[in-house]
Amino acid sequence: GILSSYVVGVVLVDGEGRIHRVTETTHGIQDSRLDRSQVDAMYGPPDVFMRHIRSSHGMLGVICEVTVRCKPIVGRSIDHRIFDSGSSLAQFAMTHSQSESSMFIYFSPYQDRYLVELQKATIVPPKGDWFWMLREQFIIYAYPLLFKLGDKLGPRMSYELYAHISFLGEQSLSYLHKHKSA
């Protein structure tokens, strides 16, 4: 998940200068005139209030301190499938929606295809796998540069570049899948 989903506590200063220590179990509202039921009525239950803070981008106050729940690092087993039609994709998604896998669906408008990525927790991939390291470096450095280049090209050249990037991505994922490197 994204980082904000692991936030379990914040200290923030609201627009009136009040300090709030908010967790998933307490609002952190320090007002002696209000009892717990009144605070719940104003802000919702503490867990709901925390969800609002996580997604507020600081609009509810200046965030001064954050407590984050940490999880151990786990590897991911990745399986990729390519679909040309939405109906077979919908059927596949329905059959795998109750599995223990995370499912990501990517649409490639330049090739009218869907790439489905299924991930399951597994052992951490080996650090010495050369193709895994090459793939990671390509994603970190080359992808952003290629897409910046594509933005500066005309529509036809951009289409060709993006189609080739999609093809390279599909081929590398196919290699990783066949060799169980991912």
Side-chain angles (χ1 to χ4, degrees):
I2 58 175
L3 179 63
S4 65
S5 63
Y6 296 104
V7 172
V8 294
V10 293
V11 175
L12 65 89
V13 179
D14 68 13
E16 295 178 359
R18 295 178 298 203
I19 298 173
H20 302 278
R21 296 184 189 287
V22 184
T23 68
E24 293 174 321
T25 57
T26 63
H27 290 98
I29 309 296
Q30 304 297 326
D31 192 337
S32 58
R33 297 171 295 169
L34 302 174
D35 66 10
R36 172 80 187 228
S37 62
Q38 291 172 314
V39 172
D40 280 352
M42 289 172 58
Y43 297 101
D47 60 328
V48 173
F49 187 51
M50 177 55 81
R51 274 189 276 158
H52 293 304
I53 290 174
R54 286 182 188 126
S55 61
S56 72
H57 301 284
M59 299 290 284
L60 297 175
V62 177
I63 298 174
C64 304
E65 186 179 310
V66 177
T67 304
V68 180
R69 177 186 318 116
C70 295
K71 293 174 60 172
I73 295 176
V74 295
R76 307 300 273 165
S77 168
I78 303 173
D79 183 20
H80 293 90
R81 309 266 170 90
I82 298 170
F83 294 93
D84 291 325
S85 74
S87 61
S88 58
L89 169 65
Q91 182 180 6
F92 176 81
M94 289 300 291
T95 59
H96 285 82
S97 64
Q98 300 301 319
S99 72
E100 301 228 349
S101 301
S102 300
M103 185 183 313
F104 300 93
I105 301 173
Y106 303 96
F107 174 60
S108 178
Y110 299 105
Q111 295 183 327
D112 197 27
R113 289 188 190 170
Y114 298 91
L115 173 69
V116 176
E117 180 177 283
L118 293 171
Q119 295 186 9
K120 276 187 176 173
T122 184
I123 61 170
V124 177
K127 296 252 185 228
D129 187 336
W130 67 272
F131 198 84
W132 180 269
M133 292 187 300
L134 178 65
R135 175 185 173 268
E136 292 300 306
Q137 294 301 311
F138 187 78
I139 288 170
I140 292 169
Y141 298 109
Y143 262 16
L145 293 174
L146 288 172
F147 281 102
K148 280 184 184 177
L149 174 64
D151 290 343
K152 294 182 192 299
L153 300 173
R156 183 161 189 243
M157 291 294 290
S158 295
Y159 173 84
E160 291 295 322
L161 177 63
Y162 296 147
H164 283 83
I165 290 171
S166 294
F167 177 76
L168 281 172
E170 288 176 8
Q171 294 303 310
S172 68
L173 292 173
S174 174
Y175 176 87
L176 287 170
H177 181 64
K178 286 178 187 169
H179 293 85
K180 299 294 182 200
S181 297

